Amino acid sequence: MPPLSDRLTRQLAFLSEADRLKSVVRANVLMDGSRHENSAEHSWHLALWALVFDAPCATIHMALLHDIVEIDAGDHPIHLPQDHAAIAIKERAAADRLYPILPADQAATFRSIWEAFEDATTPAARTARILDMAQPLMQELGNVAQTETERDIIRALLATGRPAALANDWPELYTYALGLLDHTGFRLDPDTTARLRFLAEADRLKTELRATTLFDGSRRENSAEHSWHLALFALTLSEHAIRPVDTDRVIAMLLIHDLVEIDAGDLPIHTTAADQNAKAADEARAADRLFGLLPGQQGAALHALWTEFEAAESDDAIFAKALDRVQPVMANLATDGGTWLSYNVTRDQLQSRVGDKVTRGASALWDAILPQIEAFFTEA
């Protein structure tokens, strides 16, 4: 293995490059019809689907990684004619460039996860592919601004397109989708209905804007794509946790940690203590409502996981909090200060509000970016 400093440098470089997935626009629109979705927030939503439908952890890993190649190769809408051989060549070239940014052992692991998804031969990969058909389908069917032309496209895809496979792979959902199109009123079992209602509500996180921008400074980040990025941080950086952690529990925490912002909104860390206390009460009420949409036992389990994250006392939660603090720092460094300038953040404030929490969970991460931080505040 390469020395730790070089290894971590390469991991952080990969995560910085991954930020570009937030700028890859898909054909799907959000459920409120306001805009097209990007591939990072799709990857988050797909991973959340996998979590909620109790898919294997390997399926969640595939959801986080499956669209990384679109940074170079772009998205290719399934309802339009495509040269699939040419797309495959582009995507493999993208994989050849992107995964080797990582240390060699991790590059091989991540690429094998992506290839397993593409090949769809393992049970986890087949589940990932089924969910990757179901999630955009239900998102489109829930679009409040849907046109008759768009309904015709969905109907054609269900008849002869890739989602037609759901007739065999998930027949109940397939029949339910047809029922939504044709108003036949087919009903799913109560637990599936509750999960779909929760996942539809989760779509609203894609319109919750954060103070932090993308790494290229082009726009503000939203909380859904932020959650995907943090889950990818966990998958990539768990070896750097101060104490051993359960990577998949950390990923699950980070997939759900900001859902409460659907009701409570985002509040930048560099605000007053009174604002932070009021926000905590709003978030607690939001957690009660949102996790209460799920079947009882599952909702209680995810609520408990969110509460554990907020308390930041367990090893998993301490590490998850460290990642939640370090990612915006990297964004601000990439944009010459970003929100630090907007909120007049001092070096001491950054240390007490952010650095101490990162160091508590993953001191190597703070040490790795500290020279850039010191250089910024020295020049400022």
Side-chain angles (χ1 to χ4, degrees):
M1 286 188 181
L4 180 60
S5 58
D6 178 56
R7 182 176 179 82
L8 183 50
T9 296
R10 292 174 67 174
Q11 290 168 330
L12 295 178
F14 172 78
L15 292 165
S16 295
E17 185 71 2
D19 194 79
R20 294 176 56 201
L21 195 64
K22 300 169 189 175
S23 299
V24 177
V25 179
R26 293 166 49 83
N28 292 74
V29 298
L30 306 191
M31 293 181 79
D32 66 2
S34 60
R35 62 169 173 82
H36 287 270
E37 182 183 50
N38 70 61
S39 291
E41 51 197 8
H42 162 68
S43 297
W44 166 76
H45 212 173
L46 180 59
L48 187 65
W49 267 66
L51 179 68
V52 166
F53 280 106
D54 297 320
C57 294
T59 298
I60 297 176
H61 299 174
M62 290 175 192
L64 296 175
L65 290 168
H66 79 294
D67 274 347
I68 289 281
V69 293
E70 292 186 0
I71 290 170
D72 289 355
D75 178 63
H76 302 90
I78 63 172
H79 66 285
L80 298 176
Q82 303 287 353
D83 184 340
H84 295 289
I87 292 170
I89 291 171
K90 286 182 181 178
E91 291 186 342
R92 292 204 171 272
D96 289 343
R97 184 186 76 81
L98 291 162
Y99 291 119
I101 297 173
L102 288 160
D105 61 312
Q106 205 166 39
T109 298
F110 280 25
R111 178 157 187 154
S112 69
I113 292 170
W114 171 72
E115 289 177 342
F117 172 83
E118 290 296 307
D119 294 341
T121 55
T122 67
R126 287 193 290 271
T127 298
R129 295 297 287 263
I130 290 167
L131 294 175
D132 195 34
M133 289 185 287
Q135 185 271 331
L137 172 65
M138 298 310 299
Q139 185 169 312
E140 284 293 336
L141 286 170
N143 174 14
V144 297
Q146 188 180 81
T147 66
E148 195 57 40
T149 298
E150 289 167 336
R151 293 173 68 83
D152 289 341
I153 291 171
I154 296 171
R155 191 174 283 107
L157 288 171
L158 284 169
T160 60
R162 201 169 74 186
L166 290 171
N168 293 318
D169 295 332
W170 198 346
E172 298 84 3
L173 189 76
Y174 181 83
T175 304
Y176 178 67
L178 288 176
L180 291 176
L181 282 172
D182 300 330
H183 307 291
T184 57
F186 177 81
R187 294 191 177 186
L188 293 162
D189 66 272
D191 282 358
T192 301
T193 299
R195 289 176 177 128
L196 290 177
R197 185 181 303 117
F198 171 82
L199 290 164
E201 189 73 358
D203 194 75
R204 294 175 56 200
L205 196 63
K206 299 169 188 175
T207 58
E208 182 55 47
L209 296 180
R210 296 167 46 80
T212 311
T213 68
L214 304 192
F215 282 34
D216 66 4
S218 60
R219 62 169 174 82
R220 290 167 65 188
E221 181 185 49
N222 69 63
S223 293
E225 60 197 359
H226 168 71
S227 298
W228 163 77
H229 209 182
L230 288 188
L232 186 63
F233 267 60
L235 185 63
T236 307
L237 298 173
S238 61
E239 67 193 66
H240 301 293
I242 289 285
R243 295 176 58 83
V245 296
D246 182 333
T247 302
D248 290 310
R249 286 192 83 247
V250 175
I251 288 171
M253 279 184 187
L254 293 170
L255 289 174
I256 67 170
H257 82 290
D258 271 348
L259 282 171
V260 293
E261 293 183 0
I262 290 169
D263 289 356
D266 176 67
L267 186 67
I269 192 172
H270 303 294
T271 51
T272 67
D275 288 339
Q276 295 289 342
N277 290 337
K279 176 75 162 18
D282 290 342
E283 288 185 344
R285 287 189 291 271
D288 289 342
R289 183 184 79 81
L290 290 162
F291 296 118
L293 297 173
L294 287 162
Q297 189 172 357
Q298 184 177 42
L302 289 183
H303 194 305
L305 190 66
W306 174 82
T307 301
E308 180 183 342
F309 171 82
E310 288 297 307
E313 294 175 353
S314 70
D315 292 338
D316 291 346
I318 289 169
F319 180 60
K321 281 283 189 180
L323 299 180
D324 192 30
R325 292 293 187 265
V326 81
Q327 186 260 4
V329 174
M330 290 174 61
N332 282 336
L333 287 171
T335 52
D336 298 322
T339 56
W340 296 337
L341 302 176
S342 305
Y343 290 92
N344 298 313
V345 176
T346 67
R347 174 65 181 85
D348 289 344
Q349 288 172 334
L350 184 67
Q351 183 63 46
S352 62
R353 297 171 183 175
V354 179
D356 290 350
K357 293 178 177 61
V358 177
T359 301
R360 184 181 178 217
S363 58
L365 301 187
W366 193 248
D367 291 343
I369 61 175
L370 192 56
Q372 297 175 70
I373 292 170
E374 297 291 8
F376 171 79
F377 282 99
T378 298
E379 292 173 7

